Amino acid sequence: MNEKLNSILKQVSKPGRYSGGEYGQIIKDKSKVKARFAFAFPDTYEIGMSNLGVRILYECLNREEDIWCERVYDPWVDMQEKMKENGLLLWAHESKDNVKDFDFLGFTLQYEMSYTNVLNMLELAGIPLRSAERGEEFPLVIGGGPCAYNPEPVADFFDLFNIGEGESLLVEIVRLYIQMKDEGRYSKAEFLHEAAKTIPGVYVPSLYDVEYNADGTIKAYKPIYDDIPTKITKRIVEDLDKAIFPDYAIMPYTEVVHDRIMLEVFRGCIRGCRFCQAGMIYRPVREKSPDVLNEQAKCIFENTGYEEISLSSLSISDYTGLPELTDKLLEWTKDNMVSFSLPSLRVDSFTKELMEKVASVRASSLTFAPEAGSQRLRDVINKNVQEDDLMRAVNVAFDAGKTQVKLYFMQGLPTETEEDLAAIPKLAKDVIEAFYANPNRNRAKQPQVTFSVSPFIPKPFTPFQWEPQDSLETMKEKQSFVGSCVTDRKIKYQHHDAEICRIEAVMARGDRKLCKALELACREGFKFDAWSEYFDYDKWIEVFEKSGVDPDFYANRRYSFDEVLPWDIIDCGVDKSFLVRECKKAYEDQTTPSCREKCSGCGANKLGGERTCCPKRK
């Protein structure tokens, strides 16, 4: 294997993707290992190496002496061709052993458009696509991550899913496997039944039958055993200060997307934007203390020498310990020329003090997400920010000498009008005018505002999960309209591919009927569908037609409040009744305050015992 691989590395682009041997990787003695776990990221090495969740779970599994977790990435197209030419199967990064010889193959499902990569990787590994066709000699295939909250479109390809945060859950799954092997009572069927019965957060699709109504909607989910749960409740880590976090980083030999120290400051979100899946599924809010974060940052810096720290969360400026944390970081990062970036800034929490702390080290870019151009539509989506908040935030940036601002918006949101769309470029122009009105502006440079507009995609476990997506024609018309409203060369307009967004909506709200379409797509060579150069919308429509799948049924239909949704088998912690209330409030232009202002009764606090979404609430 190693000899063949080495011989073709010179024939492919970026051989550092495949060479392995990075500083920080974990190698174990196979003779002392009872279970081997291949952790797969279904995209390129550069993207997978940047994922913090994979790094954390890699550490959790490898802290167990008798478990060895290795990494797997999807080879780029040129390497896939060479693999087929040379009879190479997909391998694990550390040992270079074939993935099909492992006990577990786990996929993190971060975005729906990676589903074809999952199937492509199974094919590259020589593993049958469908779980029902895999014998005892093949690894157990596990799925997790945000897309696992609606696992149904890929249910037939996975043996089990872990729902929620996997730090302890993955270890429990592998420990059960080792126990059953040691006791001589292991078979795949027995293991899957036992895991579903005894480990909270485990979903085994093959143990649940799905009945459909005549109109194609779901009638019911029925477990085939009486001793497994009728609904799978997600797992959470209650105390992040005690959660496992790697004090090192695997150092890549080639450039990756996020090659820096990444600190997870908290999980969850207090805001409740009605389109945002992450803001719902990651509840309740749990924070790490500034002392723990500072020590983790120091440790990784000493072990890696990285010169940048990224503070990771859904909304970093909502972290209650941010002032204390930035003070602690500046005590040592300034002298060591280490910068830190603050992504996901909210305009209503961005302050001069924070700007000055960021500006005291190397500059970082500033991005804000108003999401909608008009105040009415921001109220509909429960963004809870005013235009004055944005103007105050950009003026703080202009006071500090910044000249470039990025803004993110969405189109196709429920109740949207043409006036709402026109308000998007107008808001960008207002930012330009604010720059020239600012007496402290950087007069040596011209301002630049870049705004990006993404089509709305209805996602499971959001108040807008029942809403239809715009038709493809309407999405494109709206994109053209927004572009026609841009008349200033200092304003740059970008938009997401409407065709990719439509297929993503189908996958996001799909059921098990999509498995047939995905299998056909794999057989026809679909891969890297999140990459525009490999995505082919017309071919997707052909696959849907051949599979008997109507994409309008999933993307463009308004789901009714009383129908059984494909993801109703999962309990994400947020009550469905709360989501219905929030959807109805959207149509009345009513907002809901943040969890810190008032508990909205979403239900997520039941997952954390004494801990709740609202830190002030006892």
Side-chain angles (χ1 to χ4, degrees):
M1 164 66 185
N2 286 332
E3 190 174 321
K4 277 189 176 182
L5 176 59
N6 291 335
S7 69
I8 62 177
L9 284 180
K10 295 180 181 179
Q11 304 173 47
V12 298
S13 61
K14 300 184 180 180
R17 290 167 165 164
Y18 317 108
S19 58
E22 307 104 322
Y23 173 80
Q25 73 170 12
I26 294 176
I27 301 294
K28 293 192 175 184
D29 182 346
K30 294 180 189 178
S31 66
K32 298 179 181 179
V33 171
K34 291 186 176 181
R36 299 186 67 186
F37 195 109
F39 204 128
F41 193 96
D43 212 316
T44 62
Y45 175 88
E46 299 96 296
I47 298 174
M49 276 288 287
S50 303
N51 185 270
L52 181 58
V54 172
R55 295 185 193 181
I56 292 172
L57 295 175
Y58 180 84
E59 172 73 3
C60 290
L61 288 166
N62 279 316
R63 286 199 181 185
E64 304 290 314
E65 290 186 4
D66 53 356
I67 300 172
W68 186 13
C69 178
E70 302 181 49
R71 295 163 294 139
V72 186
Y73 307 101
D74 200 4
W76 191 242
V77 176
D78 57 348
M79 175 56 89
Q80 292 188 27
E81 292 172 354
K82 293 298 178 183
M83 288 169 64
K84 291 174 182 176
E85 289 175 12
N86 290 271
L88 283 180
L89 294 176
L90 187 66
W91 65 91
H93 217 65
E94 280 76 1
S95 65
K96 301 298 188 294
D97 291 341
N98 291 335
V99 166
K100 72 177 181 64
D101 296 327
F102 279 59
D103 300 290
F104 292 88
L105 173 57
F107 286 93
T108 179
L109 305 174
Q110 295 291 317
Y111 33 89
E112 290 87 354
M113 297 310 292
S114 70
Y115 289 166
T116 50
N117 280 2
V118 170
L119 302 192
N120 180 52
M121 291 175 76
L122 288 173
E123 278 209 330
L124 290 173
I127 298 173
L129 297 185
R130 291 184 176 264
S131 59
E133 298 170 359
R134 294 195 286 265
E136 299 289 335
E137 72 274 21
F138 292 105
L140 289 152
V141 180
I142 302 181
C147 290
Y149 282 90
N150 178 20
E152 296 306 283
V154 289
D156 291 347
F157 312 117
F158 286 84
D159 294 296
L160 67 159
F161 291 89
N162 64 253
I163 307 301
E165 297 164 359
E167 281 95 328
S168 61
L169 177 52
L170 267 185
V171 174
E172 289 175 23
I173 291 170
V174 182
R175 294 244 67 92
L176 176 64
Y177 172 85
I178 292 172
Q179 177 188 339
M180 294 182 70
K181 283 273 188 175
D182 286 345
E183 294 173 354
R185 61 187 182 97
Y186 174 85
S187 70
K188 271 191 178 180
E190 288 296 325
F191 169 78
L192 293 173
H193 185 189
E194 189 71 14
K197 180 173 65 174
T198 62
I199 303 178
V202 167
Y203 174 47
V204 180
S206 62
L207 301 186
Y208 296 83
D209 291 328
V210 185
E211 294 183 27
Y212 293 91
N213 296 307
D215 62 0
T217 59
I218 294 171
K219 182 177 182 180
Y221 280 93
K222 292 187 177 181
I224 65 174
Y225 296 113
D226 293 335
D227 57 358
I228 62 175
T230 57
K231 182 170 283 197
I232 292 81
T233 301
K234 76 173 181 183
R235 291 279 291 271
I236 68 165
V237 176
E238 290 190 36
D239 190 342
L240 289 190
D241 277 351
K242 296 179 181 177
I244 292 175
F245 192 84
D247 56 7
Y248 65 94
I250 300 173
M251 306 296 288
Y253 288 132
T254 188
E255 185 177 358
V256 298
V257 176
H258 298 304
D259 201 10
R260 60 180 76 113
I261 297 170
M262 296 179 69
L263 290 181
E264 182 188 29
V265 297
F266 73 97
R267 293 182 190 175
C269 184
I270 64 172
R271 298 292 176 170
C273 296
R274 290 169 178 146
F275 59 84
C276 181
Q277 184 186 52
M280 296 296 167
I281 64 174
Y282 293 136
R283 293 186 177 200
V285 169
R286 291 141 293 149
E287 296 187 344
K288 278 189 183 180
S289 66
D291 285 335
V292 168
L293 288 165
N294 187 48
E295 289 306 311
Q296 289 176 346
K298 279 183 182 178
C299 192
I300 300 175
F301 170 71
E302 291 168 358
N303 289 335
T304 65
Y306 274 134
E307 297 177 339
E308 183 180 355
I309 299 171
S310 178
L311 304 183
S312 174
S313 69
L314 290 178
S315 178
I316 186 62
S317 45
D318 284 331
Y319 175 50
T320 58
L322 188 59
E324 183 181 351
L325 174 60
T326 51
D327 284 343
K328 288 180 180 294
L329 290 172
L330 286 171
E331 288 175 4
W332 61 273
T333 55
K334 188 174 182 180
D335 290 342
N336 288 286
M337 291 300 293
V338 176
S339 66
F340 58 90
S341 58
L342 303 175
S344 63
L345 291 166
R346 280 185 62 92
V347 296
D348 58 342
S349 328
F350 186 65
T351 63
K352 181 180 179 181
E353 179 186 22
L354 184 57
M355 181 74 249
E356 288 172 347
K357 288 179 179 179
V358 178
S360 66
V361 289
R362 286 179 293 182
S364 57
S365 60
L366 289 176
T367 301
F368 301 105
E371 306 294 1
S374 70
Q375 188 57 50
R376 185 199 70 81
L377 197 53
R378 284 194 293 274
D379 290 344
V380 167
I381 65 177
N382 203 46
K383 187 65 182 178
N384 278 328
V385 296
Q386 307 289 321
E387 185 169 340
D388 288 347
D389 295 323
L390 176 62
M391 293 303 123
R392 181 191 54 77
V394 297
N395 272 302
V396 168
F398 297 151
D399 283 341
K402 301 289 185 183
T403 59
Q404 297 188 16
V405 174
K406 294 180 180 178
L407 303 174
Y408 285 130
F409 297 92
M410 299 181 72
Q411 69 171 61
L413 291 161
T415 80
E416 181 183 76
T417 65
E418 189 172 280
E419 289 75 16
D420 296 317
L421 288 170
I424 294 175
K426 181 184 181 302
L427 196 56
K429 188 170 182 60
D430 289 344
V431 173
I432 294 290
E433 292 175 355
F435 174 86
Y436 285 110
N438 188 307
N440 303 317
R441 69 184 184 274
N442 184 344
R443 298 173 184 269
K445 293 184 178 180
Q446 292 286 319
Q448 178 74 57
V449 174
T450 301
F451 73 94
S452 176
V453 184
S454 176
F456 164 69
I457 300 170
K459 293 281 185 168
F461 297 111
T462 67
F464 289 164
Q465 64 183 357
W466 295 279
E467 297 294 320
Q469 185 184 57
D470 282 337
S471 68
L472 181 62
E473 181 182 14
T474 300
M475 280 193 280
K476 290 184 174 182
E477 287 174 353
K478 288 182 176 181
Q479 289 175 338
S480 297
F481 173 74
V482 171
S484 70
C485 296
V486 178
T487 57
D488 191 326
R489 286 184 294 178
K490 294 182 284 296
I491 298 175
K492 184 178 180 182
Y493 167 48
Q494 299 173 339
H495 59 77
H496 288 213
D497 189 317
E499 293 172 330
I500 290 180
C501 290
R502 182 163 191 251
I503 302 303
E504 184 177 337
V506 174
M507 298 298 167
R509 296 208 297 179
D511 53 32
R512 292 193 190 183
K513 295 174 186 175
L514 287 180
C515 293
K516 183 178 179 181
L518 280 164
E519 182 176 25
L520 178 59
C522 178
R523 302 300 185 206
E524 297 195 1
F526 286 36
K527 59 177 74 75
F528 292 111
D529 282 294
W531 298 69
S532 58
E533 61 263 48
Y534 287 99
F535 175 79
D536 190 320
Y537 179 76
D538 292 336
K539 286 186 178 179
W540 266 109
I541 297 303
E542 288 179 12
V543 162
F544 287 146
E545 289 175 353
K546 291 177 182 177
S547 307
V549 170
D550 177 10
D552 291 353
F553 182 81
Y554 301 104
N556 307 116
R557 177 175 67 90
R558 183 181 300 281
Y559 288 23
S560 65
F561 287 143
D562 58 354
E563 75 174 85
V564 177
L565 303 173
W567 49 94
D568 277 349
I569 188 69
I570 306 298
D571 178 5
C572 83
V574 175
D575 295 336
K576 195 173 184 179
S577 59
F578 166 77
L579 299 177
V580 171
R581 292 198 306 270
E582 285 295 295
C583 185
K584 291 179 178 178
K585 287 176 73 174
Y587 279 90
E588 297 170 357
D589 298 352
Q590 291 184 15
T591 61
T592 298
S594 76
C595 300
R596 278 198 193 120
E597 298 171 73
K598 181 182 178 182
C599 178
S600 57
C602 73
N605 59 347
K606 67 180 179 288
L607 294 172
E610 295 293 325
R611 308 179 70 84
T612 72
C613 281
C614 180
K616 292 182 180 179
R617 194 170 166 250
K618 301 296 183 184

